[in-house]
Amino acid sequence: SAVISQKPSRDICQRGTSLTIQCQVDSQVTMMFWYRQQPGQSLTLIATANQGSEATYESGFVIDKFPISRPNLTFSTLTVSNMSPEDSSIYLCSVEVPNTGELFFGEGSRLTVL
Amino acid sequence: RKEVEQDPGPFNVPEGATVAFNCTYSNSASQSFFWYRQDCRKEPKLLMSVYSSGNEDGRFTAQLNRASQYISLLIRDSKLSDSATYLCVVNTNAGKSTFGDGTTLTVKP
């Protein structure tokens, strides 16, 4: 298993601003993922954070809106840029147990945009 | 059509009941399958992996039918603490996990 720390755990932000969410893992991992869970909905993959290269984004998500950093094998950040109320959601960092497909999640960052 | 579809629920059952959740997936190239549990305002946590041979963990039994692209989760002797949302998750060989919308279970005394 992996221990994943995310911060902030929650934030209330003004429209048009940006917020950076941090994810720290207690061990080196190859695959780190960022998910979004909108109110009452399931999880949607935003992107895969690759160490040493650009993140791989899923359809409907772009780097300008959700820039991601992955400076090493234990840390990643997700920025939600130029926020609007539609970005209000829980953002979850996740890591995969190698070769199993099993995922461990951080506790999530609950974002409210006014 | 969604890649992973689950019973919409909600399921409201009395303690001690047996309840079954169903899930279908559309990508025949899917390689691995899981059930996760998500409590209110918490992150999802792995409940169990699902194998073609079926697997059991205490009161929980998971089954996979690759021919029908169908996954199930059976909970026997339901406890109040089983109340949660259960997420069906399918993983392709490209390492991408797709989540179902979840089925909410409420176990009542």
Side-chain angles (χ1 to χ4, degrees):
Chain A
S1 64
V3 176
I4 305 170
S5 302
Q6 264 187 255
K7 59 181 181 180
S9 59
R10 61 179 62 237
D11 208 340
I12 300 173
C13 302
Q14 295 297 320
R15 182 194 302 256
T17 63
S18 298
L19 177 74
T20 295
I21 302 166
Q22 299 181 6
C23 177
Q24 179 75 53
V25 188
D26 68 342
S27 57
Q28 293 187 339
V29 293
T30 304
M31 306 288 280
M32 290 182 75
F33 306 94
W34 286 98
Y35 284 85
R36 180 174 73 182
Q37 188 171 28
Q38 293 180 303
Q41 298 188 27
S42 191
L43 282 75
T44 301
L45 181 63
I46 297 171
T48 302
N50 303 307
Q51 196 270 331
S53 64
E54 275 195 4
T56 305
Y57 289 84
E58 297 299 309
S59 175
F61 298 96
V62 295
I63 188 171
D64 289 346
K65 177 67 176 177
F66 297 101
I68 288 171
S69 79
R70 179 88 194 270
N72 55 53
L73 291 174
T74 64
F75 186 79
S76 179
T77 67
L78 169 76
T79 299
V80 187
S81 303
N82 187 25
M83 289 183 285
S84 67
E86 292 71 36
D87 295 320
S88 297
S89 187
I90 300 172
Y91 293 86
L92 293 141
C93 170
S94 174
V95 302
E96 180 182 309
V97 176
N99 303 316
T100 67
E102 298 175 5
L103 298 174
F104 286 92
F105 288 88
E107 292 182 344
S109 300
R110 184 179 296 271
L111 172 63
T112 301
V113 184
L114 303 178
Chain B
R1 182 188 172 191
K2 292 182 180 179
E3 286 189 54
V4 179
E5 295 205 55
Q6 294 186 236
D7 286 339
F11 285 68
N12 299 301
V13 303
E15 272 188 292
T18 296
V19 61
F21 302 141
N22 300 317
C23 173
T24 58
Y25 61 95
S26 60
N27 186 346
S28 59
S30 299
Q31 294 290 314
S32 48
F33 310 88
F34 308 91
W35 285 101
Y36 283 74
R37 170 189 171 133
Q38 187 172 26
D39 292 289
C40 187
R41 294 183 170 267
K42 297 286 189 181
E43 74 277 17
K45 294 185 179 178
L46 180 67
L47 178 65
M48 57 198 308
S49 302
V50 189
Y51 306 115
S52 296
S53 56
N55 49 310
E56 186 174 314
D57 182 2
R59 298 181 293 109
F60 298 83
T61 301
Q63 296 277 355
L64 166 65
N65 183 322
R66 284 188 182 272
S68 302
Q69 296 184 195
Y70 169 90
I71 305 159
S72 66
L73 176 68
L74 183 76
I75 305 175
R76 291 180 299 277
D77 189 22
S78 299
K79 311 292 185 189
L80 296 176
S81 57
D82 294 334
S83 298
T85 297
Y86 291 84
L87 301 165
C88 175
V89 181
V90 175
N91 188 284
T92 67
N93 59 4
K96 178 183 172 183
S97 293
T98 302
F99 285 72
D101 286 343
T103 302
T104 299
L105 172 66
T106 301
V107 181
K108 299 184 176 181

